[in-house]
Amino acid sequence: MQFQQILGQTEAKEHILSAMQHDKLPHALLLCGAEGIGKLAFATAIAQYANCMQPLANDSCGKCANCQRSGQGIHPDISFVLPIMSKEEKGKHILSDAYMGDFRKAFLQDPYFSLEQWQTFLDGANKQLMISVHEMREAKRKLLLKSFSAKFKILIVWNAELVNEKGANAFLKILEEPPERTLILMTSSQPSRLLPTIISRCQRLFLQKLSQSEIATGLQQFNGLPLTQAQQIATIADGSMVNAKGYLEESGVALNDLYVHWMRANYAGNYVKMNETIEKVYKASKEFQRAFLRLAIKKMRDSVLFHLNVSQLALVTEEDKIFHSNFSKVMSVPKAEMMLQETENALRYIAGNGNSQMVFMALSLRLFGILRG
Ligand SMILES: [Zn+2]
């Protein structure tokens, strides 16, 4: 990828470009930050720039043979390590190279795809993804090969916190003293889970959450969403493309309608309808569940704005207006505060792997209590 294709991250781009132009790029870089902000995309842009034959001041040229190959993810001097499920076939360990074709396709289609999407793709919903010692040995072997055509031998480790201890140990020496012209780029959304031996050998670069307009641009660019829908989703995505896409994932279920049905059921204290709606939520992916709760938080706030007669401050559609004008009649500021508190708690429980069915049922009942209290 080129830097210009990456959403936001202006500061990090400038920092990296300046380091590369002054030949001061560390040989091992750890890209940290929340999920869905483009760490992997950023790593590929660094790799492409490092090997570009005619780099510009602020980006790779995008045209030379190295850029062409990097852009398609097929540069022989740029290799990837991906988390996969541990598997053997005919006595041989399957390594992430076996999945590179699919990974490339997914990445080229949407450079902001998530680890959870990758896991679903590998059909490993309940299995642990990891980066094994065999994988790290192979990565090391590749880094020690002579480069084919490029200035740098580059390794990109996606979600480096999933490298297990043996894998890390097998890799420590090369991470500490790599051959000349080697670049090791690791990404992690959970750097606190990384082994200290890895962290201490890398320079850390923190990427930022994306702004609402950057998310809206991304949804249009990579997911083909119309502007207004993209803007609406951007307001509740908390700076992450992965969060934003949680809203698109279950295309059969319109989140907005689901919220409206749910709130009506909560107000009426209709257990059957409560259960009907939340069943659709808790049976979906965790991303969808979080997306639903974030949407609920936004909608509750919008209802308060309607209640306070400042509806012009809410970013809502015509359809929303009808719901909010009605719902705001049963709202009050103290009620809204309690409801928001409960919903935010539910979001934390879900993020912390709470039992989704219980969390949503309990939340429904509490909202019922507040609305009628
Ligand atoms: Zn180039």
Side-chain angles (χ1 to χ4, degrees):
M1 273 186 100
Q2 284 182 285
F3 282 113
Q4 59 172 348
Q5 293 168 286
I6 288 174
L7 303 168
Q9 311 302 355
T10 317
E11 236 173 84
K13 281 179 197 171
E14 280 167 12
H15 174 79
I16 287 292
L17 284 164
S18 155
M20 287 203 274
Q21 283 152 9
H22 295 93
D23 214 10
K24 282 193 175 141
L25 194 67
H27 65 261
L29 199 60
L30 175 63
L31 302 168
C32 317
E35 209 186 3
I37 58 173
K39 297 182 294 297
L40 175 63
F42 201 89
T44 68
I46 297 177
Q48 180 163 329
Y49 190 89
N51 279 336
C52 175
M53 297 192 279
Q54 288 153 331
L56 313 168
N58 55 1
D59 217 333
S60 49
C61 78
K63 293 181 190 131
C64 71
N66 278 341
C67 277
Q68 297 273 317
R69 289 197 201 115
S70 309
Q72 293 166 46
I74 52 168
H75 200 294
D77 291 310
I78 303 175
S79 49
F80 290 80
V81 162
L82 316 169
I84 56 170
M85 287 167 294
S86 171
K87 206 160 125 188
E88 279 186 45
E89 256 169 37
K90 295 176 190 156
K92 278 186 98 179
H93 298 282
I94 303 292
L95 302 179
S96 51
D97 271 351
Y99 301 97
M100 258 325 278
D102 296 311
F103 177 77
R104 210 174 281 134
K105 215 188 284 169
F107 180 76
L108 292 178
Q109 197 187 350
D110 177 4
Y112 290 80
F113 80 103
S114 69
L115 186 63
E116 190 172 329
Q117 280 174 290
W118 180 237
Q119 187 155 18
T120 310
F121 172 81
L122 293 174
D123 202 18
N126 297 310
K127 293 183 193 142
Q128 188 87 37
L129 294 189
M130 50 101 84
I131 298 172
S132 70
V133 62
H134 313 289
E135 194 77 65
M136 295 316 286
R137 281 193 195 127
E138 172 64 10
K140 183 169 142 188
R141 190 189 67 81
K142 283 186 194 158
L143 284 181
L144 293 171
L145 290 177
K146 238 176 115 89
S147 87
F148 290 90
S149 58
K151 298 191 264 182
F152 283 90
K153 278 297 241 196
I154 299 174
L155 176 73
I156 297 176
V157 183
W158 187 42
N159 293 293
E161 72 278 2
L162 297 173
V163 177
N164 68 14
E165 201 169 344
K166 269 189 173 173
N169 287 335
F171 197 69
L172 285 187
K173 196 154 175 291
I174 195 163
L175 187 57
E176 196 159 57
E177 285 175 47
E180 286 272 291
R181 297 270 151 202
T182 299
L183 196 49
I184 298 165
L185 303 169
M186 302 200 173
T187 77
S188 178
S189 336
Q190 295 174 293
S192 61
R193 284 180 54 202
L194 274 163
L195 293 161
T197 44
I198 290 191
I199 293 197
S200 63
R201 287 165 175 83
C202 296
Q203 197 176 102
R204 267 173 282 182
L205 178 68
F206 289 89
L207 299 193
Q208 304 299 319
K209 285 191 177 178
L210 303 174
S211 70
Q212 289 187 9
S213 70
E214 285 156 5
I215 297 264
T217 306
L219 288 170
Q220 292 174 84
Q221 197 170 322
F222 301 114
N223 308 96
L225 243 64
L227 177 68
T228 42
Q229 202 187 346
Q231 281 173 333
Q232 262 206 337
I233 290 181
T235 61
I236 33 180
D238 190 25
S240 156
M241 281 299 285
V242 171
N243 287 346
K245 284 182 297 180
Y247 297 89
L248 309 174
E249 194 193 346
E250 312 275 316
S251 48
V253 184
L255 262 185
N256 209 38
D257 294 351
L258 206 56
Y259 173 80
V260 169
H261 288 148
W262 181 57
M263 247 345 158
R264 284 190 181 132
N266 292 340
Y267 179 70
N270 184 329
Y271 298 132
V272 177
K273 286 204 166 152
M274 270 182 205
N275 201 40
E276 242 170 48
T277 41
I278 63 177
E279 201 178 14
K280 288 188 183 137
V281 182
Y282 70 71
K283 285 193 170 165
S285 69
K286 289 266 176 183
E287 275 170 24
F288 184 80
Q289 294 169 25
R290 289 195 293 265
F292 179 77
L293 289 171
R294 272 192 302 271
L295 177 86
I297 289 169
K298 175 186 183 286
K299 298 255 172 203
M300 287 171 193
R301 290 194 181 128
D302 287 344
S303 287
V304 177
L305 296 177
F306 275 77
H307 176 78
L308 297 172
N309 278 326
V310 283
S311 60
Q312 69 278 10
L313 297 176
L315 180 62
V316 294
T317 60
E318 286 305 311
E319 205 184 325
D320 283 343
K321 278 185 192 163
I322 302 167
F323 170 78
H324 287 305
S325 332
N326 289 326
F327 194 66
S328 63
K329 289 175 197 150
V330 299
M331 271 292 215
S332 69
V333 174
K335 273 185 189 175
E337 275 172 4
M338 284 189 276
M339 288 168 70
L340 282 164
Q341 184 72 53
E342 292 294 347
T343 313
E344 276 159 11
N345 286 344
L347 189 56
R348 265 197 297 280
Y349 291 135
I350 295 290
N353 273 330
N355 175 318
S356 304
Q357 184 174 2
M358 297 250 294
V359 171
F360 279 103
M361 203 50 188
L363 177 61
S364 265
L365 294 173
R366 292 213 175 94
L367 295 182
F368 167 61
I370 296 167
L371 282 166
R372 290 309 187 90

